[in-house]
Amino acid sequence: MKIAILALQGAFAEHRQMLTRMGVDSFLVRNVEDWAQPKDGLIIPGGESTTMMRLVQDLGLYTPIKQAIEYGLPVFGTCAGLIMLDANHLGTMNILVKRNAYGRQLGSFVAQADMKGIGNMDMVFIRAPYIEQVSEGCEVLATVDGNIVAARQGNQLVTAFHPELGEDTRTHEYFVDICRSFSNHKHNSNT
């Protein structure tokens, strides 16, 4: 099991630390050569989505990442990573996102809510977006104050909050389970 982490900006180091604590191997992706390594999943961290999209395009990563996700590679997008998967960016998930949804005065906060498949948890929001709309094949996993803050579509998982900034590993475990299923299926279909 090896997870790629897009490391152009944002909390990629914290995601890697979380995976290390769980005993899961990972590597950082900064260019096409890094991307070429074998992987069972991809994490797209928070950061500034406009900058990250520009860098992904400038570095020649846009098409390979989009195609890999479309072919089933599990992906976990947090905050800006959520934005990057929506219909207006990589376009791999049937979601529309409201950026900086909570405004400056509520720029950062912690909420406690239930996440389907995980249970009650603390959710750390930093200038967070939320999902305004989900459509075909996309399942809402969590809401805070009536706003969608976590969703899943096939092998794609997104959260508006930052699970990598807390101590709770359950969201990452949930994603690693998706990767494990994908990896087992891929391996079984090759034999």
Side-chain angles (χ1 to χ4, degrees):
M1 175 70 48
K2 201 164 194 183
I3 309 289
I5 303 171
L6 191 63
L8 304 178
Q9 192 197 31
F12 58 85
E14 290 81 354
H15 278 289
R16 193 166 197 196
Q17 289 164 359
M18 184 70 80
L19 292 173
T20 299
R21 279 183 34 215
M22 294 165 51
V24 176
D25 285 339
S26 64
F27 65 94
L28 301 178
V29 175
R30 292 192 170 100
N31 54 47
V32 175
E33 291 75 25
D34 294 337
W35 177 252
Q37 296 180 61
K39 58 198 140 308
D40 299 295
L42 168 65
I43 293 176
I44 304 177
E48 208 290 303
S49 59
T50 305
T51 303
M52 286 169 62
M53 281 301 294
R54 191 182 71 245
L55 288 169
V56 162
Q57 289 166 335
D58 290 351
L59 294 167
L61 288 165
Y62 180 91
T63 300
I65 288 174
K66 181 176 171 63
Q67 286 177 342
I69 295 167
E70 287 171 345
Y71 289 133
L73 181 73
V75 61
F76 177 19
T78 59
C79 200
L82 175 157
I83 295 168
M84 286 180 65
L85 295 174
D86 89 343
N88 296 318
H89 295 84
L90 283 166
T92 59
M93 241 180 131
N94 296 328
I95 56 174
L96 289 175
V97 176
K98 181 170 176 62
R99 295 173 59 178
N100 299 319
Y102 294 98
R104 295 280 178 237
Q105 72 278 16
L106 280 175
S108 301
F109 64 97
V110 178
Q112 201 172 60
D114 270 329
M115 184 161 160
K116 189 173 182 179
I118 294 177
N120 196 271
M121 62 189 306
D122 286 335
M123 299 176 177
V124 178
F125 293 86
I126 301 171
R127 293 183 306 281
Y130 61 71
I131 300 169
E132 287 187 296
Q133 186 180 328
V134 298
S135 54
E136 189 182 343
C138 191
E139 179 184 15
V140 173
L141 299 180
T143 60
V144 171
D145 298 330
N147 298 315
I148 303 167
V149 296
R152 178 177 177 181
Q153 180 179 323
N155 288 338
Q156 299 180 79
L157 173 67
V158 290
T159 61
F161 57 93
H162 290 269
E164 75 281 6
L165 298 181
E167 296 300 311
D168 190 336
T169 60
R170 291 178 297 164
T171 308
H172 284 77
E173 288 166 17
Y174 184 92
F175 177 62
V176 168
D177 285 344
I178 295 171
C179 296
R180 199 169 281 121
S181 294
F182 171 75
S183 182
N184 289 340
H185 175 74
K186 186 174 68 173
H187 177 71
N188 291 335
S189 62
N190 288 341
T191 55

